[in-house]
Amino acid sequence: MDDYNLSLEEIRAGEYPILNVQASSLTTIVDITYLDHAGTTLYAKTVVDTFARDLASNLFGNPHSGSASSQLSTRRIEDVRLKVLDFFSADPEAFDVVFVSNATAGIKLVMDIFRDIDGGFSYGYHRDAHNSLVGVREVAAAGHTCFESEAEAEAWLAIQEGRQNASLEKAAVKKKVCLFAYPAQSNLSGERLPLSWSSRLRKAHKHNTTVYTLLDASSHVSTSPLSLADPCRAPDFTVLSFYKIFGFPPLGCLIIRKAAPNIDSLLRKRKYFGGGTVDVVTCLDGQAWHVKKTDSMHDHLEDGTLPFHSIIALGHALDTHNKLYGSMERVAAHTALLARRLYEGLSGLRHPNGTPVARIYTTSDYRDRTRQGPIIAFNLVDHTGRLIPKTQVETTAAAKNIHLRTGGMCNPGGIASHLNWASDDIKTNFEVEGVRCGNDIDIVNGKPTGVIRASLGAMSNLKDVQTLIDFVQETYIGEKTTPITEKQTLLHHHQYQWIPDPSTTPITEKQALLLHQHHQHQQYHQFIPDPSTIHIHEHAISTPKTSFSEYGLPEVKPDHETQANKSCLLTRLRRRFGVTGKPLG
C-alpha cells in the first residue's frame, strides 16, 4: 500500500483542505483528525467544483416535464443509474436502482411493499441491525424475531436448508412470506456478517415459505467493494447511503433483484402511489381508480419528483472517487491496515499498574477484513478500572480537534449485547435513571450506556491513527482524580461552577472566562477549567442548597449516588454556561 499512501498525501492536500483549517486567531493552521467516517465520510473538493460548474453551465428542469431542460435532467438521471449499477458490478438486466433520500428511506420503501401483502409477513433481523432495520418489525403482522447472535441465525439457516430439525424453528419466521434483514457490517463495531446468507436462503426452498433478503450495505460499502455480479448470490433488496462512500450528495438507493420471487406481484400489492408513479388517476364522480406505471421498477416506486440535482451530483462523486482511489478494493486494503494498527495501538496501552486503558468491543483481532471493517468501538477506564465518561472523552478530544462519535450508534442490539444490558435493565435506565438517546448519562451502576467510536475512511492516514493513540496515552494513562484543596470550592448557592486552585492548576488558553451576573447584579469573573487538564474528583460534588432548575439545569438526585450524575455534572455546566472564550452576561 506504499503507492496508496504516497498518493494519499497529495490527495489530502488538494482534495480535503477542510482538514487544515485556520483558527480564529487568523494566524494558526489547525489540523483536524477526522475519525467519524461511519457517520459520513469527507467530500472531495473536485466533486463540489465540478458539480458547481455543471450547474452554472446547464439548465436542469423537472424530469417530469417534456422541455429540453427536463429531458437533459432525465438523461443524466438514467446515466447515473447505470453508473451506480456499474459501481456494484450489477447487470442492468438483472437489477434496478431506485433512488431514495438515504438507506432508511430505502428500508421504509421495502417495508411499504411487504406491508400490504395479504396475511402480512413475518420478519427476522440480526441483533446488529441499525434502528432503521429494527423498526420494520412494527408492521410485521405475522410476527418478528431478533437473532441474537450469528450462531442463532446460522441455526435458522440450517433449518431452511434441511440440515436441522424444523421443530426448533421460531414461529415468527416460518410464515408463508418472510423478510430476513441484516447489516453487511455493524455500524457499531465494524463486525461483518456473511454475504452468503442471501444465496443460501434462496437455494433452501424450505417447505412453503418464501424468504426474501434485505441487506443493509450502508456501513460496509463505505470502505469495501460489494459485488452484485452474480444475481443468484445477491440479496433481493440492498439499501445504502452514498454519503457514506463519497461524503456528498445526501442521497441513497434501493437496489432490487429483478428475479426476486413474485416481485411484480409484490409491487402491485403496494397501495400507495405518488406523483410520477401512475399512468392515470380518477377522483370525481365517486370513482377512485388508478393504474400504476409498469415500465420499470423504479418508475413504479420513485414517488414524486426525484432529487435530480443530487443525482447529478452523484455522477460527479462516482467519477471523482474512481479517479482518486481507483477501486474500492484499494480502499478496503488501506483502511483494513489502518484499523489493525489502531486496534493494536489502543489494545496495547496500559496504565503503570499494568491494567488496560481501553475496552474494545469486538470478537475480532482485525486481521481478517472479510469479518471486520475499519471501525473501533471502545470505552476508556482509569488505573482502578473505573470507566471514564464517554462524553468527557469526546469533549476533550474535540478540544484537540479530534472528531469522534459517542453513544449507542442507533444500534440497540449491538449495545445491549456488547455492554451486557438486559432489556429490563434498559427499561429501568430509561424510566428511573433518565437515560435517553443522545443525552450525557454515560454510566449507570458502574456500566457504560454507550461507546466511543473511531471509524476510518478512504482518505484516513497513519497520522490520524497515531494522533488518537497519542491522545489516549497522553491524556488518560496513569490518570488520577485531583483531590479538592482548601483553596478550591464548588459554588452551590448561585453559580454552580468549579473554581480551580491557581497555585496548583495552570489556566490554559482553552479555558473560558465566564462573566456571570449575581442575583444582586454584582459581577464575578470565574474560570471554567479545560476538561483536558482538570478532572473533578467524584467526591467533589456536594448537594446543592438551591434547585438546579433555578438555573436552567436538569435536576440531579439529591444524594448524588448515581455515578452518571457525578460524571456528567461538569459537562452539563459547560453546556449550560457556554465555554466559548468570550464573556457572557
Side-chain angles (χ1 to χ4, degrees), residues 214-230:
L214 167 58
L215 181 72
D216 179 1
S218 290
S219 183
H220 178 90
V221 298
S222 62
T223 57
S224 292
L226 176 67
S227 175
L228 302 178
D230 184 355

Side-chain angles (χ1 to χ4, degrees), residues 185-202:
Q185 173 178 293
S186 167
N187 72 304
L188 172 72
S189 65
E191 292 178 279
R192 291 177 172 168
L193 295 170
L195 295 176
S196 61
W197 281 352
S198 296
S199 60
R200 288 173 58 191
L201 279 170
R202 188 165 302 125

Side-chain angles (χ1 to χ4, degrees), residues 9-87:
E9 297 314 307
E10 295 180 5
I11 292 173
R12 283 172 65 101
E15 295 290 346
Y16 306 101
I18 48 179
L19 290 174
N20 306 103
V21 298
Q22 199 162 32
S24 57
S25 64
L26 302 180
T27 59
T28 305
I29 299 296
V30 177
D31 289 334
I32 292 175
T33 301
Y34 185 81
L35 294 170
D36 191 21
H37 293 272
T40 180
T41 196
L42 304 177
Y43 50 83
K45 183 175 181 293
T46 293
V47 175
V48 178
D49 292 344
T50 55
F51 177 46
R53 286 196 297 269
D54 201 1
L55 291 181
S57 305
N58 294 286
L59 176 59
F60 297 105
N62 188 311
H64 288 170
S65 300
S67 64
S69 59
S70 299
Q71 293 306 303
L72 176 59
S73 295
T74 298
R75 289 195 300 273
R76 288 291 193 90
I77 289 170
E78 296 313 310
D79 287 344
V80 174
R81 204 185 300 274
L82 291 175
K83 283 184 177 181
V84 170
L85 289 172
D86 183 64
F87 188 78

Side-chain angles (χ1 to χ4, degrees), residues 127 146 148 188 359 361 379 387 390 407-408 411-436 441-451 562-564:
R127 74 159 193 216
C146 174
E148 298 185 11
L188 172 72
R359 294 179 185 172
Y361 303 105
N379 273 305
L387 284 160
K390 65 182 188 304
N411 195 313
I415 284 291
S417 57
H418 283 294
L419 303 185
N420 195 28
W421 286 110
S423 293
D424 286 342
D425 296 331
I426 293 172
K427 291 178 183 178
T428 300
N429 291 347
F430 176 84
E431 295 169 353
V432 179
E433 302 295 344
V435 176
R436 302 287 187 276
I441 299 180
D442 298 328
I443 304 166
V444 174
N445 297 325
K447 293 170 59 177
T449 59
V451 301
T562 302
Q563 187 175 357

Side-chain angles (χ1 to χ4, degrees), residues 261-277:
N262 305 310
I263 187 64
D264 292 334
S265 175
L266 276 177
L267 296 183
R268 284 195 299 272
K269 289 181 181 296
R270 177 176 175 257
K271 295 178 180 179
Y272 178 80
F273 61 87
T277 60

Side-chain angles (χ1 to χ4, degrees), residues 274-413:
T277 60
V278 284
D279 281 327
V280 62
V281 179
T282 65
C283 300
L284 305 182
D285 306 320
Q287 299 286 330
W289 177 74
H290 70 276
V291 177
K292 294 182 181 179
K293 289 186 175 181
T294 57
D295 293 343
S296 67
M297 292 179 182
H298 64 260
D299 282 334
H300 187 94
L301 296 172
E302 289 174 342
D303 299 308
T305 299
L306 285 171
F308 53 96
H309 293 114
S310 292
I311 295 172
I312 291 166
L314 175 60
H316 292 288
L318 284 158
D319 292 342
T320 300
H321 193 275
N322 183 59
K323 290 176 182 177
L324 293 178
Y325 301 108
S327 71
M328 289 302 295
E329 179 60 34
R330 296 183 75 231
V331 173
H334 171 71
T335 52
L337 173 64
L338 295 184
R340 181 177 173 186
R341 294 198 181 186
L342 181 55
Y343 168 76
E344 291 175 348
L346 290 177
S347 60
L349 292 177
R350 293 288 186 274
H351 287 291
N353 62 2
T355 58
V357 177
R359 294 179 185 172
I360 300 177
Y361 303 105
T362 183
T363 58
S364 165
D365 61 2
Y366 286 78
R367 293 178 181 272
D368 181 2
R369 60 186 172 96
T370 67
R371 301 294 300 174
Q372 177 66 54
I375 296 175
I376 311 283
F378 64 100
N379 273 305
L380 300 179
V381 295
D382 67 14
H383 66 293
T384 67
R386 290 183 303 180
L387 284 160
I388 298 171
K390 65 182 188 304
T391 51
Q392 176 188 320
V393 177
E394 183 180 28
T395 302
T396 309
K400 296 181 180 295
N401 303 304
I402 300 172
H403 294 221
L404 302 166
R405 182 170 173 180
T406 64
M409 311 303 153
C410 298
N411 195 313

